[in-house]
Amino acid sequence: MPPAETTVTLPKAEIPRSWYNVLPDLPEPLEPYLTPDGQPVKPEMLAPIFPEALIEQELSPKPRFDIPEPVLETLARWRPTPLTRAAGLEKALGVRSRIWFKNESVSPSGSHKSNTAMAQAYYNKAAGIKRLATETGAGQWGTALSIAGQAFDLNVRVYMVRISLEQKPGRKTVMNLMGAEVLSSPSDLTEAGRKAKAENPGTLGTLGLAISEAVEDAASRPDTNYSLGSVLNHVLLHQTIIGQELKKQFKAGGIKPDYLVACHGGGSNFGGMAVPFVPEIKDGAKISLIAAEPESCPSLTRGKFAHDFGDAAGLTPMLPMYTLGKDFQPPAIHAGGLRYHGASPIVSALVKSGMVKPEAIGGPELFRYASLFARTEFIVPAPESAHALAAACMKALELEQAGKPGDIVFVLSGHGLLDLSAYEDFINTY
Ligand SMILES: *Cc1c(COP(=O)(O)O)cnc(C)c1O
């Protein structure tokens, strides 16, 4: 008999009713966003592309924000998400540590992105906006926003990085099914897209370039706003529902985590898991926060801390973050959601202060752990999430060697059922 699985579930009544804002609790205040000529960005400069409520959330020192009732109702369709003990995986690894995963793959889009997509769609609708423009790398964010567009009656246009569209045509089908328009980026519809194509006709696109296209689209139409699925403070704010649920689940399940692990692309699932624990870590709690990033796009471990643009064309404010440079072209690894040159300013500040440890994960090991998880837990992990689960497995093995088993918790940020080309390559290669 395989070992019994344990799942810590919470009743609907336990869904957190507010989001936690880490800004006032950071070890040092966040440096301001800057314009290209080095001036601090004023809130009103963001108004052409974001609704007022989200601009407030981006910059506010308020400790908490109430979750609006319509957003709560939508989140309650799949939240609280389960925290499950990966007992099969533990056994296969031969470790005594307990490994737990917070399963964000149960959302409508199959990833944590739905947590912020619903909130962003709500605030834009409430501000009288009719249409959202966005980019998508791997496709999860575009899918989440397309669904949120249906939930809150908004048109959605998605600029999808060309390489991802070619690798995962099924993603476009889902977004089209959900009523969204999907364009291959770079496109001919924006200045940024036309310029990139003229300079490099064969370009496969980058997330930074797709962001430029979506920002330009939104800035040029009064009925349209821009929506971003990661990086920014308000996105991490919405994702704090993950860490807040975890706290309740730790209490309910008698879990004292030694390691909290999540993958890091732009920082939203990692930040959403981690920042609610910042106050207790400042008070001395011994919890290690591990951000698992890909070796091929290592912004936190190899990037430099600087003000840099969030996009390739330089249309966004310059954010204080770890960055590989806005022109960095990551190789075509299959974790599309982790191919971003920068990082969240909040996560960057926590890395800089030493409160978060980044680790670069890659190579065939990554997919070996992913397939071990699939075969023992019966869930196909998203390639992005595989970085977190591989890091968690390695921690469990380290603790075993040291003879000090503990509790290791990672976020399964999404499932990989629409990312099968990555697994096909792996199966054919190894
Ligand atoms: C987008 C995505 C990521 C990476 O984005 P973060 O903002 O770093 O969380 C990770 N996992 C999945 C499943 C994603 O869709």
Side-chain angles (χ1 to χ4, degrees), residues 111-113 140 230 263-269 337-338 382 384-385 413-414:
S111 83
H112 69 289
K113 298 276 188 354
Q140 288 103 323
S230 185
C263 66
H264 185 282
S268 74
N269 90 93
L338 304 181
E384 291 87 355
S385 317
S413 52

Side-chain angles (χ1 to χ4, degrees), residues 71-416:
V71 177
L72 266 179
E73 276 170 25
T74 318
L75 295 177
R77 289 199 191 201
W78 73 94
R79 305 206 70 88
T81 60
L83 176 67
T84 298
R85 182 165 169 201
L89 179 66
E90 290 165 17
K91 189 167 176 229
L93 291 169
V95 296
R96 286 164 293 168
S97 284
R98 299 192 295 179
I99 303 176
W100 304 84
F101 60 99
K102 176 70 167 160
N103 191 351
E104 291 296 312
S105 81
V106 299
S107 87
S109 63
S111 83
H112 69 289
K113 298 276 188 354
S114 288
N115 298 328
T116 184
M118 295 301 185
Q120 293 190 40
Y122 166 79
Y123 286 116
N124 277 289
K125 182 71 185 180
I129 286 295
K130 302 277 183 282
R131 185 174 169 273
L132 291 174
T134 197
E135 72 291 332
T136 198
Q140 288 103 323
W141 170 241
T143 305
L145 198 68
S146 303
I147 296 169
Q150 289 303 317
F152 291 100
D153 190 26
L154 289 163
N155 293 319
V156 175
R157 176 187 276 176
V158 181
Y159 293 88
M160 183 166 184
V161 180
R162 182 178 148 197
I163 175 89
S164 301
L165 188 54
E166 287 173 5
Q167 280 171 351
K168 299 189 244 180
R171 281 279 177 195
K172 177 174 184 286
T173 308
V174 177
M175 289 184 263
N176 289 153
L177 176 66
M178 293 296 172
E181 183 190 359
V182 180
L183 300 172
S184 176
S185 170
S187 76
D188 292 320
L189 296 185
T190 66
E191 197 72 42
R194 287 188 294 268
K195 185 158 169 274
K197 275 181 147 173
E199 280 169 8
N200 180 2
T203 181
L204 295 175
T206 63
L207 202 51
L209 181 56
I211 295 176
S212 299
E213 290 206 271
V215 169
E216 186 184 325
D217 182 320
S220 64
R221 289 182 53 159
D223 67 344
T224 302
N225 266 346
Y226 170 65
S227 211
L228 184 64
S230 185
V231 181
L232 295 177
N233 301 344
H234 68 270
V235 180
L236 266 71
L237 178 84
H238 303 151
Q239 295 293 357
T240 60
I241 197 148
I242 300 175
Q244 293 187 81
E245 283 181 9
L246 273 176
K247 283 190 168 186
K248 295 184 178 201
Q249 285 166 315
F250 292 163
K251 211 172 205 179
I255 300 162
K256 283 210 150 58
D258 298 288
Y259 289 97
L260 293 179
V261 187
C263 66
H264 185 282
S268 74
N269 90 93
F270 175 81
M273 165 199 71
V275 300
F277 293 90
V278 162
E280 54 197 88
I281 293 174
K282 274 165 78 180
D283 284 345
K286 294 258 172 298
I287 302 174
S288 297
L289 303 174
I290 308 288
E293 66 176 8
E295 270 173 359
S296 53
C297 194
S299 49
L300 295 177
T301 52
R302 308 286 289 276
K304 69 169 195 220
F305 187 87
H307 274 86
D308 193 10
F309 294 105
D311 68 324
L315 302 178
T316 70
M318 298 176 80
L319 310 177
M321 62 183 179
Y322 284 97
T323 174
L324 296 161
K326 73 176 176 50
D327 299 318
F328 180 76
Q329 299 252 1
I333 57 159
H334 281 293
L338 304 181
R339 299 175 75 230
Y340 184 60
H341 68 273
S344 130
I346 288 173
V347 176
S348 295
L350 291 171
V351 168
K352 199 156 166 265
S353 76
M355 203 180 279
V356 166
K357 289 192 201 71
E359 289 185 8
I361 307 281
E365 228 48 84
L366 180 63
F367 280 104
R368 275 197 245 284
Y369 286 121
S371 63
L372 192 62
F373 179 83
R375 290 171 192 188
T376 52
E377 301 303 322
F378 315 150
I379 298 171
V380 178
E384 291 87 355
S385 317
H387 291 74
L389 89 84
C393 289
M394 289 188 249
K395 284 287 167 260
L397 292 168
E398 271 172 41
L399 292 182
E400 196 61 29
Q401 283 249 307
K404 289 181 188 157
D407 273 311
I408 301 164
V409 180
F410 74 88
V411 179
L412 185 74
S413 52
H415 68 67

